Amino acid sequence: MNVNVTPGLIPNAPQPMEWPQGALTRIPYWIYHSPEIYALEQQRIYEGPVWNFLCLEAEVAKPGDYRVTYAGSMPVIVARDFDDEVYAFENRCAHRGALIALDSGGHARDFTCVYHAWNYDLKGNLKAVAFEDGVNGKGGMPKTFCRSDHGPRKLRIALFAGLVFGSLSDDVPPIEEYLGEDVATRIRRVLHKPVVVTGRYTQMLPNNWKLYFENVKDTYHASLLHTFFTTFGINRLSQKGGMVVSPDGGNHASFSFIDTKSSGNDYAAMGIRSENENFTLKDPSLLDNADEFGDGCHMQILTVFPNFVLQQIQNALAVRQILPKGQQQTALNWTTFGFVDDTPEMKTRRLRQNNLAGPAGYVSMEDGAVGGFVQRGVAAADGERAVVEMGGSSTANEGTRATEASVRGFWKCYRSHMGI
């Protein structure tokens, strides 16, 4: 299939720009740094029929609470109005386009643009225009001006298990249909009771957003790239586990169950890596895992197209928001959380285990670098393709994590939205 942009715009790429034979098992490298593709993504994905993750409902818990976030490159305000409903609208003044809210969140009765003092309510409606009637009968807006005809774009809102999603499209399916039954069930598994935010931070990645989204769907790399996993027996592909993929391919959940009997010999036999008895933890309580969900699953990574990750690594819980910041840069927003009814012991455990993930996390530090390695590695390889055949060519649920089914699922969904 041909990409619906002018052929020949990407140097050294096949002409016209064409997805190569092999469908989902061959990924053309031009897809990661084409400016035309990046522009098209904003239109067809982020402003198209998708549900963008915006924030946790707990972050706008009370009337007047608001958070500033993004849907793709579009700045967005999420607010709970005094009717107790959640609303989202573009963070852009209808007058001259300035940001309406300048901070990351807080509490307000309304919003006033700092540039010319145009005022908006918590639904995003334009309520007042400074000097609308002019001064002393002179100037002002024309008599035909109607405030209700002007205002930032508003997003549809979907609330699911304490998550706030937004869409600019009238054609997006209902949220549970969009997620798929298996993925929706796995979200509810973690977000089964009221949460409390425990921290936030942003990590800038030196790569295209799609490389990070592939990475969190890639179960094949986890125990190979992240040596902490195998050294301390947290995660091996030989452990019991699997993955589910939504019918459209865009959403997935991978999961594993801890196996204290595993010796790591399967890795040593392949000459890859195994446990090293010389490596120990000065504070082994870092690995003190409580089976808080009652199913023995100690690790679950879940994604929702195009920008959401739900993380359970032992008792370290977080949501991650993936935001494109250019063809070769991505902002990764982390929000760590616990539950309102956490005991003091569980709060301490979560705080300690939060060192496992994040920009310098023991088991995720490498993810912040490896996408940049790929971005740099494919800089002159527009005519070449990645090989994504681990586990075959399907995008179906798997009873193993030695597969790239969910990565292929991402490209299935991506191609559908992009029309390539």
Side-chain angles (χ1 to χ4, degrees):
M1 293 182 232
N2 292 343
V3 181
N4 190 22
V5 294
T6 305
L9 291 177
I10 299 179
N12 304 320
Q15 303 296 327
M17 285 199 308
E18 186 173 307
W19 197 274
Q21 289 185 346
L24 305 176
T25 65
R26 295 293 184 272
I27 313 304
Y29 288 130
W30 49 257
I31 203 76
Y32 299 113
H33 53 245
S34 159
E36 290 73 32
I37 287 292
Y38 182 81
L40 205 60
E41 288 169 349
Q42 302 304 313
Q43 173 191 344
R44 295 190 177 178
I45 295 179
Y46 298 103
E47 297 182 22
V50 304
W51 285 111
N52 293 277
F53 170 69
L54 299 177
C55 65
L56 290 166
E57 195 172 355
E59 297 180 274
V60 287
K62 301 185 299 296
D65 289 351
Y66 70 94
R67 287 293 299 170
V68 171
T69 181
Y70 284 85
S73 61
M74 177 190 293
V76 171
I77 297 172
V78 182
R80 186 178 291 274
D81 196 14
F82 293 94
D83 61 4
D84 206 32
E85 296 293 324
V86 177
Y87 298 88
F89 51 94
E90 189 174 12
N91 188 8
R92 174 188 57 83
C93 182
H95 178 218
R96 298 288 296 278
L99 292 172
I100 298 170
L102 302 178
D103 53 10
S104 61
H107 190 84
R109 294 197 63 84
D110 53 22
F111 299 102
T112 300
C113 176
V114 69
Y115 199 177
H116 297 93
W118 284 31
N119 178 265
Y120 301 84
D121 65 18
L122 297 177
K123 295 182 176 72
N125 299 315
L126 177 61
K127 303 302 291 184
V129 172
F131 298 110
E132 182 176 352
D133 297 327
V135 178
N136 297 324
K138 297 180 180 179
M141 302 298 286
K143 298 299 182 182
T144 56
F145 178 79
C146 179
R147 290 194 298 270
S148 62
D149 292 338
H150 302 274
R153 287 178 286 180
K154 297 179 181 179
L155 287 74
R156 295 176 58 195
I157 287 292
L159 304 179
F160 182 82
L163 305 172
V164 181
F165 294 92
S167 181
L168 283 159
S169 172
D170 292 329
D171 298 324
V172 63
I175 186 64
E176 292 204 43
E177 179 183 338
Y178 183 86
L179 295 171
E181 182 179 355
D182 289 337
V183 172
T185 297
R186 289 254 156 207
I187 292 176
R188 288 194 187 99
R189 170 187 169 270
V190 175
L191 297 171
H192 65 292
K193 55 184 176 179
V195 308
V196 59
V197 172
T198 58
R200 299 185 184 93
Y201 44 90
T202 296
Q203 178 181 6
M204 297 304 297
L205 306 176
N207 51 264
N208 186 271
W209 70 274
K210 297 185 289 295
L211 286 169
Y212 185 79
F213 209 36
E214 283 184 297
N215 180 75
V216 287
K217 290 175 174 287
D218 175 7
T219 54
Y220 178 33
H221 86 278
S223 60
L224 300 172
L225 176 66
H226 307 307
T227 58
F228 191 94
F229 269 151
T230 47
T231 298
F232 296 103
I234 298 175
N235 186 16
R236 294 191 181 91
L237 285 179
S238 54
Q239 291 173 342
K240 179 183 176 183
M243 71 166 59
V244 295
V245 184
S246 63
D248 71 351
N251 315 320
H252 102 292
S254 63
F255 47 89
S256 61
F257 300 82
I258 199 160
D259 180 5
T260 56
K261 298 179 182 179
S262 178
S263 67
N265 290 336
D266 47 347
Y267 284 75
M270 291 184 287
I272 300 175
R273 68 185 82 226
S274 62
E275 286 184 337
N276 188 324
E277 295 180 357
N278 295 322
F279 289 125
T280 60
L281 290 173
K282 186 174 182 180
D283 182 5
S285 66
L286 179 69
L287 304 179
D288 175 23
N289 179 53
D291 184 13
E292 62 179 308
F293 303 109
D295 55 7
C297 177
H298 75 294
M299 185 167 176
Q300 175 180 286
I301 300 295
L302 181 150
T303 63
V304 176
F305 186 88
N307 73 335
F308 176 71
V309 183
L310 174 61
Q311 161 209 305
Q312 176 219 342
I313 301 176
Q314 301 199 129
N315 304 110
L317 306 178
V319 294
R320 311 176 197 171
Q321 183 190 38
I322 304 167
L323 297 175
K325 295 297 180 182
Q327 298 146 237
Q328 299 185 29
Q329 192 173 46
T330 300
L332 182 59
N333 292 334
W334 301 71
T335 304
T336 61
F337 66 90
F339 298 112
V340 171
D341 63 358
D342 279 350
T343 64
E345 292 77 16
M346 180 59 83
K347 291 179 181 178
T348 299
R349 180 183 288 111
R350 293 199 203 284
L351 182 63
R352 184 182 296 118
Q353 291 186 7
N354 279 340
N355 289 294
L356 293 170
Y362 296 133
V363 298
S364 67
M365 175 176 59
E366 299 89 353
D367 290 330
V370 73
F373 297 163
V374 177
Q375 192 77 51
R376 290 154 58 190
V378 304
D382 284 344
E384 303 298 325
R385 301 166 291 169
V387 179
V388 187
E389 286 191 70
M390 181 63 61
S393 60
S394 80
T395 62
N397 294 356
E398 294 271 8
T400 178
R401 290 167 297 128
T403 178
E404 292 170 312
S406 56
V407 178
R408 291 187 290 271
F410 166 73
W411 289 109
K412 174 184 175 182
C413 183
Y414 178 90
R415 291 181 65 185
S416 174
H417 282 282
M418 290 289 288
I420 50 180

